[in-house]
């Protein structure tokens, strides 16, 4: 594995752990695709730093479990905006 990819994987992992960030959030911040972030932290990181990889997996598991809640909040917000624009 190339050194810059290893460094990127560790940097992404640290960002995700420190900020409890989602893969999507990390991808935006680092300007790379979500699939690259996921491959870096879910596959490559295990070869580089297993304790850090375990920490990232915990965060990603929490994010996955909470995903339905965030989706519901987004839908609620959408309809609140529609309702407020129709009432004006």
């Amino acid at each position: 594995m190339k050194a810059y990819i290893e460094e990127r994987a560790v940097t992404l992992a640290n960002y995700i752990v420190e900020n409890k960030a989602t893969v999507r959030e990390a991808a935006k911040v680092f300007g790379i695709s979500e699939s690259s972030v996921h491959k870096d932290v879910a596959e490559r990181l295990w070869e580089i730093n297993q304790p850090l990889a375990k920490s990232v997996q915990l965060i990603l598991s929490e994010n996955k479990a909470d995903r339905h809640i965030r989706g519901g909040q987004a839908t609620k917000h959408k309809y609140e905006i529609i309702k407020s624009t129709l009432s004006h």
Side-chain angles (χ1 to χ4, degrees):
M1 188 179 326
K2 295 186 178 180
Y4 78 93
I5 293 177
E6 289 182 8
E7 185 179 327
R8 182 180 73 189
V10 172
T11 303
L12 285 165
N14 285 325
Y15 178 81
I16 289 170
V17 170
E18 290 169 9
N19 298 289
K20 294 194 176 215
T22 62
V23 168
R24 181 174 287 178
E25 292 167 343
K28 278 185 182 179
V29 169
F30 289 90
I32 58 176
S33 71
E34 293 172 31
S35 58
S36 293
V37 173
H38 191 268
K39 185 159 183 94
D40 283 354
V41 299
E43 295 178 20
R44 294 179 177 132
L45 191 60
W46 286 100
E47 299 172 19
I48 302 165
N49 186 333
Q50 287 188 358
L52 184 56
K54 288 177 186 177
S55 297
V56 169
Q57 282 306 116
L58 286 173
I59 301 295
L60 295 182
S61 294
E62 288 175 21
N63 289 341
K64 188 173 183 180
D66 294 343
R67 181 172 51 194
H68 70 284
I69 294 170
R70 288 191 307 273
Q73 290 170 337
T75 302
K76 180 181 176 185
H77 180 69
K78 172 185 170 183
Y79 285 104
E80 286 173 346
I81 291 172
I82 291 171
K83 184 178 176 182
S84 71
T85 56
L86 292 176
S87 65
H88 286 109

